[in-house]
Amino acid sequence: MSKRWLMIADAHLTCREPEDGFFRMLNGVSCLPADIGIIFLGDIFDLWIALRGYENDEHRRFLDWCRQEKTRRQIVFLEGNHEFFVAKTYPDAFSFSSEDSYEDGALQWLHGDRINKKDYTYTMLRFILRNVLTRGFLWCIGPTFGPTFAHYVRERLRTTNQAHKQSFPEPIALKFLSSCPPDSIVFVGHFHDRLTKTADGRTLEVLPAYADASELVYYDPSTPELTVFPADRIGELCSDNSLKQEAVES
């Protein structure tokens, strides 16, 4: 079981060209001590339909890295609202994968897209796209219509319910937090912001989007605060020096 965690949320890799910068960061992650687990909190790709006919070389490159790295450390993948069927199709690629959440004692991780129960349009879209019948239909049409359908889904996800996506639903999020077990620390992505909210002894940590400033988030239970740092400083975490000191001083 990992004692420390490195978190990556909302990279939104478009795969329109090789994502070499992101994979340079992952190569840096590989140098971390083995007791640091890696959690991908969803929307790592701008669209990932994990079925034949919808994937490309960058999806396979990411899976290859995860398969290799999980032999050394815990690798957790949680699906975001831009990823479909990854957990079901590639359970071998990760130490743990889910379209829902991951827990480690009082710690809980989830993408965050389902916190806002009042986003009815998204809830309906999610149901339509993620059920067993849709999965079977997409598998059948993938070899011929996969790219066309993927483009349609990408555009729908980009334009649906912008009013809900552009503001953090604080009252709803605090109500959700209050329903969690006592002393919980809950980590979410999705909102592309960095926020800390508390309710009844529980803490909600909203993580920044990697896509915005290439930021990673480090959690060490021996220090009281998260450390948010740019990906090009991953070497400092490998050497276990200044980033840990920043966490103590923050």
Side-chain angles (χ1 to χ4, degrees), residues 73-97:
R73 71 180 76 251
Q74 279 189 281
I75 301 292
V76 176
F77 185 90
L78 302 177
E79 291 181 16
N81 52 303
H82 287 241
E83 290 142 346
F84 303 85
F85 318 122
V86 178
K88 288 184 174 67
T89 305
Y90 299 114
D92 66 300
F94 314 101
S95 309
F96 178 89
S97 58

Side-chain angles (χ1 to χ4, degrees), residues 40-186:
F40 297 98
L41 277 92
D43 285 1
I44 302 306
F45 289 89
D46 202 40
L47 181 66
W48 187 359
I49 300 175
L51 298 171
R52 61 174 187 170
Y54 299 90
E55 296 173 295
N56 59 37
D57 289 343
E58 299 305 282
H59 296 114
R60 289 182 282 272
R61 186 179 180 187
F62 176 72
L63 288 167
D64 288 344
W65 183 89
C66 290
R67 287 190 182 99
Q68 180 176 347
E69 196 64 21
K70 82 165 191 174
T71 64
R72 300 185 58 244
R73 71 180 76 251
Q74 279 189 281
I75 301 292
V76 176
F77 185 90
L78 302 177
E79 291 181 16
N81 52 303
H82 287 241
E83 290 142 346
F84 303 85
F85 318 122
V86 178
K88 288 184 174 67
T89 305
Y90 299 114
D92 66 300
F94 314 101
S95 309
F96 178 89
S97 58
S98 173
E99 60 180 29
D100 188 14
S101 63
Y102 177 69
E103 296 182 10
D104 178 16
L107 307 179
Q108 181 181 356
W109 292 264
L110 59 156
H111 180 61
D113 55 317
R114 287 185 281 176
I115 287 178
N116 191 348
K117 301 298 185 183
K118 293 186 177 181
D119 190 349
Y120 303 117
T121 302
Y122 170 68
T123 300
M124 180 60 68
L125 180 63
R126 179 184 176 88
F127 172 77
I128 292 171
L129 292 176
R130 293 181 184 272
N131 64 68
V132 175
L133 292 177
T134 300
R135 184 172 186 260
F137 172 72
L138 295 180
W139 186 88
C140 290
I141 71 168
T144 51
F145 298 107
T148 300
F149 183 80
H151 176 74
Y152 169 78
V153 172
R154 185 181 292 109
E155 291 305 308
R156 289 287 292 169
L157 290 171
R158 182 177 295 115
T159 59
T160 299
N161 276 22
Q162 289 300 309
H164 285 287
K165 294 177 180 178
Q166 292 174 355
S167 61
F168 178 70
E170 183 166 347
I172 296 172
L174 292 177
K175 182 178 180 180
F176 159 79
L177 184 60
S178 295
S179 70
C180 296
D183 302 319
S184 292
I185 303 176
V186 183

